[in-house]
Amino acid sequence: MIHPSVTVPRVSRRGLLGGVAAVSAALLTGCGPSDDTAGSAVGQPRRGGRLRAAFAGGGVNETLDPHLANLFNEASRAKAMFDKLADYGPDVSIQPRLAESWEPSSDLTRWRITLRQATFHDGRPVRAADVLHSYARITDPKRAFRARASLDLLDLPNSRTVDDRTLELALKRPFAEFPNALAAFGAYIVPEGADSFERPVGSGPFSFDSWQPGRSLLLKRYDGYWEGAAHLDELEYLISNEEPARVNALLAGQVDYAHDITPTTARTHADSGRISVTRMPNSTMQSFAMKVDRPPFDNRDLREAMFLLTDRQQLVDTVLAGSGQVGNDLFGKGYQYYADDIAQRTRDLDRARFLIDKAGAKGLRITLDTASVASGFVEAASVFTEQAAQAGLVIETAMGNKDTYWKDILDSGVLASYRSGAMPIETHISQRLLTNSTTNATRWARPEFDALYAKAISSTDETTRRQAYGDMQRTLHAEGGFLIWGFADFLVATAPGVGGVSADAPANTLDWARFDKVWLG
Amino acid sequence: MSLPRYAAGRSLLGLGQVAGITAIVFVLTEALPGDAAVVIAGDQPDPARIAAIRADLDLDRPAWQRYLDWLTDLLRGDLGVSLISQRPIVDRLADSAGATLLLAAVTLLVLVPLAVALGMLAARREGGRLDRTVSAVSVALYAVPEFALAILLIAVFGVRLGWLPPTAFGADLLAQPSVLVLPLLVLLARPICTISRLTRAGMIDALRGEHVRHARRLGITGSRLWLRHALPGALAPVVQQLARTTDWLLGGVIVVEAVFVIPGLGTALVDAVATRDIPTVQALCVLVAVTTVLVNLAADLVAFRLAPRIGVVR
């Protein structure tokens, strides 16, 4: 099958020149490859071609510095050009990448890491010194790289290279889940000395070719990639922050892949055969954060009432347009260490009313902070307000400032819309649920909970760890501050000839927005 | 008043306007809640991280100091570096300006002859069938907002019929001019109405004016009378309106750029404001202010030439 690849205008020109007579022909050829493959399975991997992928982006100010990666397109480009030592698998467990293996000392404070035989795009081998340089750059206290929070426990002065492919990383304290830090968002390995990324050199499956900030980035296959060369010859990232523009471009064959589409788009075009939609479940946790350190949610009964008055299925059906699953007030559905033995909570209005009466909260007015900072926030707030009214609570929605929302809800208010992308359950706990967590939006601070966490991360025994994570989740399920009502699917749309887009990779995991396994049919 | 004196006075005024605008923009962007550090930190608002970003971006220095530094650099022709990407702003703006400039130039090239011709045709027989048709169509086009027209055109010609590319995604605008067709139609819709209506009114006025009547008495008729004697006077108000249109186009029409994925100045401004990239916002404001001043200056000088009385009155 012939793919139109880069010859977009050919179709248009034919349509223009042919005039009315060409209408029907243009209708057929304009989406030729789509119609041919509609309904049929995507074939075998095929080598070659240029895949054009449309992403939202940061405009002219975007960066190729992998340590600064923040937006979806930056994360995707970083993983196309660079590697981490480890990354998240489909269940957000840790998969070795540039690190071939790791071995902790018995007290979990020294980790011996063996590197894979890999090379950077300029032919130099990836060495232990490159790893030390990368981590020193990320943890530089004068910089503000996102991965620093995870790698801050590194004791770099006491870390050392053993030989070119072996290094020993020292930690400031014992940490059994150290591989989680190696896989942290943005913890990419760059060549020793690299500090400018106008023409990045990494060890990833694609190498840099040309870049117009805010417009396009062209990458070429790196044949020396350690995991095997990509199928595609070229990968081009194109930028538009307008979802309809990404979808229109896909429908017209201007791009082959549109990242982050809405459930409405997916439904509209589901049966047209012109695009295929890939759903990546369990990608985004959807919740409301109750602050447990202040009235009214310092009352455990009221928190439980909130859990029970929520009609989760209705929220998933309306807010997520059905593209998601209900939540059980626990983070990380389907992830490693998720406590799926805890029964799914269902709506129980009678018990909720009883608990509200018991807490003396009948008719209480509660302010719910929200903002149009993530899709569905405002809709969820309005649906939830209705549900709470049925149980006798008056929830008033307060629209906050979109730009400062995440900072504002950390300290002020009592109830706020909240969401999170995928990360290991351990990371979620350490960043949000410990007494000294820096982004503790529910103000959950329990010494006995902290102790359970400490037990989990200082044990080499898998069973002990699993037990501790289970205990922590049972406490959170019973009386925590996160009302987690659902998990949204992440949706991408592709031209029907495109194959190899992983369907079981939650957003932020390795296989999400990854292109070296993708091919053009 | 002589032309050079008039031009010099207008230029000085323009310089003052540019300086005033930068100060106002600086004050207003400072007044926005949350600085770049908070916006960059996003959903990871760890206080230590915000403090580090703030220090890294030099945001912990007083606003007036940053403003003065920036002004000093500006006088030396240095627009500074972006807070977000740390790259020179001037490079990025040059990229964005290219797309905007191209679109504006193409639009004007089509707009001016077309709208003036339509206006003249309509003026030939005031109240005639052609006049009424042109008026009805252009007023109807004027009534449709750009975004609605853009969405309609994309849905029909881009997606449904597949005749034209619905977006300019990653396209080299010069190498693939077909991507410019739909944006061009949207950009033309409104100005074509104002310009043709003004031309029509100006022509009708001019044809009744003393100047043209005198020319008639001298035996000048037909196209010579229309083009040489009536049109210049009729165009003076048109030129002023054209300046406004040019200004609007050169500022980057945000809606059109967003819908058609044209990475021009409007998009750059939206991105810069969204990320609180104050130096870039400032640079864009200076650019837009200078453009406005220059375009209006040029228009005034042209109008001055076409009909000196108008220039003097202004």
Side-chain angles (χ1 to χ4, degrees):
Chain A
M1 179 170 47
I2 299 156
H3 194 270
S5 72
V6 288
T7 55
V8 178
R10 197 174 59 195
V11 170
S12 338
R13 234 175 271 137
R14 193 188 299 158
L16 269 178
L17 296 174
V20 181
V23 174
S24 52
L27 268 172
L28 290 173
T29 54
C31 47
S34 330
D35 287 352
D36 292 349
T37 55
S40 69
V42 173
Q44 289 301 302
R46 195 181 71 85
R47 198 177 163 104
R50 175 192 290 190
L51 182 117
R52 296 150 306 162
F55 279 73
V60 288
N61 282 331
E62 58 183 7
T63 172
L64 294 181
D65 184 338
H67 297 157
L68 279 175
N70 196 22
L71 306 170
F72 289 150
N73 74 318
E74 291 167 347
S76 175
R77 292 172 342 179
K79 82 172 65 173
M81 291 187 284
F82 296 89
D83 279 306
K84 303 179 201 167
L85 289 193
D87 215 330
Y88 305 141
D91 64 348
V92 201
S93 63
I94 303 304
Q95 316 287 321
R97 299 294 294 164
L98 273 185
E100 200 167 58
S101 63
W102 46 72
E103 191 59 48
S105 61
S106 58
D107 66 350
L108 296 169
T109 58
R110 288 194 81 80
W111 288 71
R112 193 183 179 89
I113 292 172
T114 310
L115 297 181
R116 220 175 270 284
Q117 205 150 17
T119 51
F120 288 112
H121 302 148
D122 57 6
R124 282 182 289 166
V126 177
R127 298 161 310 131
D130 300 313
V131 176
L132 285 185
H133 162 77
S134 304
Y135 288 172
R137 185 171 188 262
I138 291 169
T139 53
D140 182 346
K142 291 199 291 295
R143 313 287 279 266
F145 293 122
R146 194 183 173 103
R148 189 176 147 206
S150 306
L151 288 168
D152 224 14
L153 84 167
L154 275 176
D155 177 7
L156 282 176
N158 285 315
S159 302
R160 65 186 185 101
T161 60
V162 176
D163 57 46
D164 265 1
R165 282 178 51 208
T166 316
L167 70 158
E168 245 181 47
L169 292 172
L171 307 188
K172 292 170 184 163
R173 52 186 180 275
F175 189 40
E177 308 277 26
F178 181 58
N180 282 354
L182 304 180
F185 197 92
Y188 289 96
I189 304 306
V190 301
E192 187 176 12
D195 198 40
S196 161
F197 294 90
E198 291 284 308
R199 296 187 64 84
V201 172
S203 62
F206 293 94
S207 62
F208 177 86
D209 185 81
S210 63
W211 183 38
Q212 292 173 286
R215 206 170 300 188
S216 79
L217 171 71
L218 183 64
L219 305 180
K220 288 204 178 321
R221 175 179 54 224
Y222 175 48
D223 285 315
Y225 189 50
W226 60 267
E227 207 186 11
H231 299 303
L232 301 167
D233 288 339
E234 293 176 322
L235 170 61
E236 185 178 17
Y237 287 89
L238 300 166
I239 305 298
S240 166
N241 287 336
E242 302 296 317
E243 189 258 0
R246 297 198 291 275
V247 174
N248 285 335
L250 181 65
L251 286 168
Q254 291 186 297
V255 300
D256 312 293
Y257 175 106
H259 198 68
D260 197 9
I261 65 164
T262 64
T264 316
T265 301
R267 212 171 31 201
T268 309
H269 299 289
D271 304 320
S272 73
R274 296 178 74 176
I275 62 176
S276 349
V277 173
T278 305
R279 290 169 189 275
M280 300 157 177
N282 298 336
S283 281
T284 316
M285 161 190 111
Q286 306 284 332
S287 76
F288 298 106
M290 303 179 274
K291 288 206 168 40
V292 302
D293 68 338
R294 64 197 69 174
F297 294 117
D298 54 351
N299 185 311
R300 184 192 157 152
D301 289 329
L302 187 59
R303 296 205 295 275
E304 194 183 343
M306 294 284 278
F307 290 147
L308 289 170
L309 67 81
T310 310
D311 184 341
R312 295 148 203 267
Q313 193 59 50
Q314 187 189 35
L315 281 162
V316 169
D317 289 344
T318 54
V319 178
L320 305 182
S323 291
Q325 295 86 41
V326 295
N328 195 25
D329 301 317
L330 291 172
F331 177 82
K333 190 171 191 172
Y335 303 175
Q336 191 184 27
Y337 300 127
Y338 181 76
D340 44 15
D341 56 328
I342 300 176
Q344 172 65 47
R345 197 169 253 142
T346 51
R347 193 174 206 212
D348 185 345
L349 265 187
D350 289 337
R351 173 130 180 97
R353 287 199 194 97
F354 166 77
L355 286 167
I356 288 168
D357 278 341
K358 190 175 162 210
K362 190 155 187 219
L364 186 71
R365 308 178 91 81
I366 300 167
T367 303
L368 166 59
D369 290 309
T370 192
S372 51
V373 65
S375 65
F377 265 23
V378 180
E379 294 85 340
S382 109
V383 173
F384 184 66
T385 301
E386 293 283 313
Q387 296 179 358
Q390 290 163 21
L393 288 179
V394 183
I395 293 194
E396 289 164 339
T397 305
M399 286 290 282
N401 181 305
K402 186 166 157 265
D403 297 322
T404 56
Y405 180 77
W406 296 110
K407 179 170 177 286
D408 295 342
I409 60 155
L410 265 195
D411 300 316
S412 51
V414 295
L415 179 66
S417 299
Y418 200 89
R419 63 104 226 251
S420 168
M423 58 179 77
I425 288 172
E426 179 278 316
T427 312
H428 164 72
I429 292 172
S430 77
Q431 289 187 359
R432 300 174 180 144
L433 293 166
L434 302 180
T435 306
N436 59 1
S437 292
T438 48
T439 53
N440 191 335
T442 58
R443 295 287 153 152
W444 178 261
R446 301 279 180 95
E448 66 277 14
F449 188 90
D450 294 354
L452 270 176
Y453 172 79
K455 186 172 154 195
I457 62 154
S458 57
S459 167
T460 48
D461 177 41
E462 169 81 14
T463 320
T464 312
R465 285 215 297 274
R466 187 168 287 280
Q467 177 72 37
Y469 284 122
D471 290 347
M472 281 185 266
Q473 291 180 76
R474 258 176 287 282
T475 313
L476 292 171
H477 181 261
E479 52 170 320
F482 279 121
L483 191 175
I484 297 170
W485 56 263
F487 292 88
D489 298 344
F490 195 95
L491 303 180
V492 304
T494 48
V498 173
V501 177
S502 172
D504 51 22
N508 291 352
T509 60
L510 173 65
D511 290 337
W512 164 88
R514 176 184 185 185
F515 291 103
D516 54 312
K517 304 290 183 202
V518 172
W519 66 87
L520 288 165
Chain B
M1 194 189 286
S2 73
L3 193 64
R5 255 195 80 156
Y6 176 67
R10 284 298 315 270
S11 307
L12 266 181
L13 182 69
L15 213 62
Q17 286 167 331
V18 171
I21 286 168
T22 60
I24 292 169
V25 168
F26 196 86
V27 171
L28 290 181
T29 40
E30 282 294 317
L32 287 173
D35 59 18
V38 175
V39 176
I40 294 168
D43 61 354
Q44 242 207 351
D46 177 348
R49 185 158 177 262
I50 290 176
I53 297 174
R54 197 167 275 150
D56 192 33
L57 299 182
D58 243 6
L59 287 176
D60 39 6
R61 290 171 56 229
W64 62 268
Q65 269 188 21
R66 280 181 282 128
Y67 180 62
L68 282 185
D69 285 358
W70 176 80
L71 267 188
T72 324
D73 287 346
L74 183 68
L75 290 176
R76 279 189 265 123
D78 178 5
L79 285 176
V81 295
S82 154
L83 275 190
I84 311 300
S85 67
Q86 303 293 328
R87 285 193 305 266
I89 291 168
V90 75
D91 298 356
R92 299 293 154 255
L93 289 197
D95 274 3
S96 305
T100 297
L101 213 60
L102 177 66
L103 200 56
V106 175
T107 308
L108 288 174
L109 275 179
V110 178
L111 170 71
V112 176
L114 188 64
V116 170
L118 277 176
M120 286 173 66
L121 281 176
R124 264 180 70 163
R125 197 175 297 149
E126 193 185 350
R129 190 185 292 166
L130 185 68
D131 184 19
R132 278 180 285 141
T133 312
V134 170
S135 298
V137 171
S138 63
V139 170
L141 275 180
Y142 191 80
V144 185
E146 285 107 23
F147 73 89
L149 186 61
I151 290 168
L152 192 74
L153 289 177
I154 288 176
V156 175
F157 296 103
V159 175
R160 184 85 224 118
L161 299 175
W163 292 358
L164 289 163
T167 68
F169 244 123
D172 180 340
L173 301 182
L174 284 174
Q176 302 174 17
S178 58
V179 299
L180 290 174
V181 176
L182 292 180
L184 185 66
L185 290 177
V186 175
L187 288 175
L188 281 174
R190 289 183 146 211
I192 226 165
C193 172
T194 49
I195 302 289
S196 67
R197 301 287 295 166
L198 276 173
T199 310
R200 172 187 172 277
M203 280 307 279
I204 290 170
D205 267 3
L207 288 169
R208 287 184 190 142
E210 188 53 41
H211 176 68
V212 173
R213 261 190 271 168
H214 185 65
R216 269 210 185 101
R217 280 197 291 275
L218 293 176
I220 302 166
T221 52
S223 61
R224 182 143 179 250
L225 177 78
W226 275 61
L227 295 176
R228 295 284 295 275
H229 295 273
L231 190 58
L235 281 187
V238 172
V239 168
Q240 304 286 346
Q241 177 60 35
L242 208 54
R244 255 164 259 149
T245 304
T246 310
D247 199 26
W248 172 68
L249 289 170
L250 287 180
V253 181
I254 291 171
V255 171
V256 171
E257 288 187 2
V259 176
F260 292 104
V261 199
I262 299 170
L265 289 174
T267 309
L269 184 60
V270 170
D271 293 339
V273 171
T275 50
R276 294 287 184 281
D277 190 353
I278 291 168
T280 307
V281 174
Q282 286 272 332
L284 275 161
C285 286
V286 172
L287 189 66
V288 170
V290 169
T291 313
T292 305
V293 168
L294 286 181
V295 167
N296 282 297
L297 182 65
D300 283 352
L301 298 182
V302 171
F304 194 97
R305 283 273 303 159
L306 285 172
R309 280 168 305 149
I310 293 175
V312 175
V313 169
R314 286 171 65 92

